[in-house]
Amino acid sequence: MPRPVPAPAPWPGPGGPPRLLLLTDRSQLSLGRSLVGTVAECVEAGLRAVVVREPDLHPRARHALLAALARLPGLVVISSRLPDPAAHGVHLAAHQRPGRWATSAAGPVVGRSCHAVGEVRSAAAEGAAYVVLSPFGVSLSKPGHLPPLPRTAYAEAADAGVPVLALGGIGRDDVAAALDAGAHGVAVMGAVMRARDPAAEVAALLARLPPTRLPSTRCPATWASRTRGPTTRFPAAHLTPARAPAARATRARELSRPVDRSAGPPAPPLTRHDGAVDERTARDDARRPTRPDLT
């Protein structure tokens, strides 16, 4: 008898996998920029999902970074290659094989990097919630890594039944070509990480992408039952560019509240120059007394 095909992993947020996925690389940030602060600005611009790479960080520091990002309102945080309890899910490399935690319908959201249509079909059969198919174009982040795929590959991959995001050399001017080729959306790293204003780049990318349907309910019960606290809310004001003015107004009101300084000054931010970052540093970098915890 043929093996049953696993159900796709549930997406822990409204609307299903987003049209824009950000991959992090703090080494590409402008001098002095904080990774958590940069992602927070992108969330206010409408970002809904991020894949955290940063493989050089100590495991404790990387866990603290994931936990800090997971507290940002409305953001789905995915850990690259390594499952982490602080993240909402894990993104697997092309060579990694999913374990029982990856394919279980009750497990974390799983994404997969793919470099061929056959790999996309395999990922769909294994129950991936989304795949990233690359390279779409010439990547400045990974020069000479692989030749760009033919555009027809994205139309073929779309038939596998899993959302396909185009990655590699993607900028705001490449979004239309990726969608025309058959991609569900785009995954971006360098164009945002290297930008002088990453949030503005995110807003420009989202303006060129079709909106993701956002139901007016809380996140699915299957995910809420796995969180460490009450049901996580995903405020619509932080999910679409159209709601950005509301998000700014909310933030302005919250910034006017008094801040408790009894704990002393915050630790230095997590920037591209921090070789070793302990848990307190990463936590304090993201600690914004104006933002509610989502743990």
Side-chain angles (χ1 to χ4, degrees):
M1 294 180 62
R3 295 177 57 187
V5 177
W11 181 258
R19 303 283 186 174
L20 175 63
L21 180 67
L22 176 63
L23 283 68
T24 72
D25 182 358
R26 74 188 192 285
S27 70
Q28 298 191 52
L29 291 173
S30 299
L31 184 65
R33 259 199 172 277
S34 159
L35 179 57
V36 174
T38 297
V39 175
E41 293 172 7
C42 293
V43 170
E44 291 188 3
L47 182 70
R48 293 181 51 222
V50 62
V51 172
V52 178
R53 298 171 70 248
E54 316 309 327
D56 61 305
L57 284 179
H58 185 278
R60 285 189 62 206
R62 190 173 183 275
H63 171 77
L65 171 62
L66 287 162
L69 291 174
R71 288 194 290 270
L72 295 175
L75 183 66
V76 173
V77 179
I78 303 170
S79 175
S80 175
R81 301 195 179 201
L82 298 171
D84 191 289
H88 298 109
V90 66
H91 180 99
L92 302 180
H95 67 273
Q96 287 181 290
R97 301 262 63 84
R100 60 182 178 81
W101 51 267
T103 56
S104 169
V109 170
V110 177
R112 171 67 67 83
S113 291
C114 299
H115 305 298
V117 175
E119 293 176 358
V120 174
R121 296 191 181 111
S122 296
E126 291 163 353
Y130 71 92
V131 300
V132 169
L133 182 58
S134 68
F136 181 81
V138 177
S139 172
L140 297 179
S141 301
K142 296 183 178 180
H145 178 53
L146 288 171
L149 292 168
R151 295 291 189 264
T152 55
Y154 290 87
E156 295 177 35
D159 292 335
V162 61
V164 177
L165 304 176
L167 170 69
I170 296 285
R172 62 177 72 180
D173 296 330
D174 303 294
V175 171
L179 296 177
D180 290 343
H184 170 78
V186 296
V188 179
M189 183 170 66
V192 173
M193 293 285 105
R194 291 191 299 268
R196 184 180 298 273
D197 187 345
E201 188 65 25
V202 164
L205 289 163
L206 288 171
R208 290 161 171 79
L209 288 163
T212 302
R213 183 179 60 85
L214 297 175
S216 58
T217 58
R218 294 182 178 183
C219 59
T222 54
W223 173 251
S225 64
R226 300 198 301 274
T227 58
R228 293 190 296 272
T231 302
T232 303
R233 290 181 179 271
F234 291 83
H238 293 276
L239 298 183
T240 62
R243 300 298 185 95
R248 286 194 295 268
T250 300
R251 188 176 182 223
R253 288 195 300 271
E254 292 172 339
L255 283 172
S256 65
R257 298 174 184 172
V259 178
D260 182 11
R261 303 292 186 184
S262 60
L270 177 63
T271 68
R272 56 175 288 190
H273 304 290
D274 296 326
V277 184
D278 62 15
E279 181 176 355
R280 183 175 64 87
T281 301
R283 182 176 64 248
D284 288 345
D285 179 41
R287 181 183 294 160
R288 295 175 177 238
T290 62
R291 293 184 179 278
D293 280 349
L294 294 185
T295 55

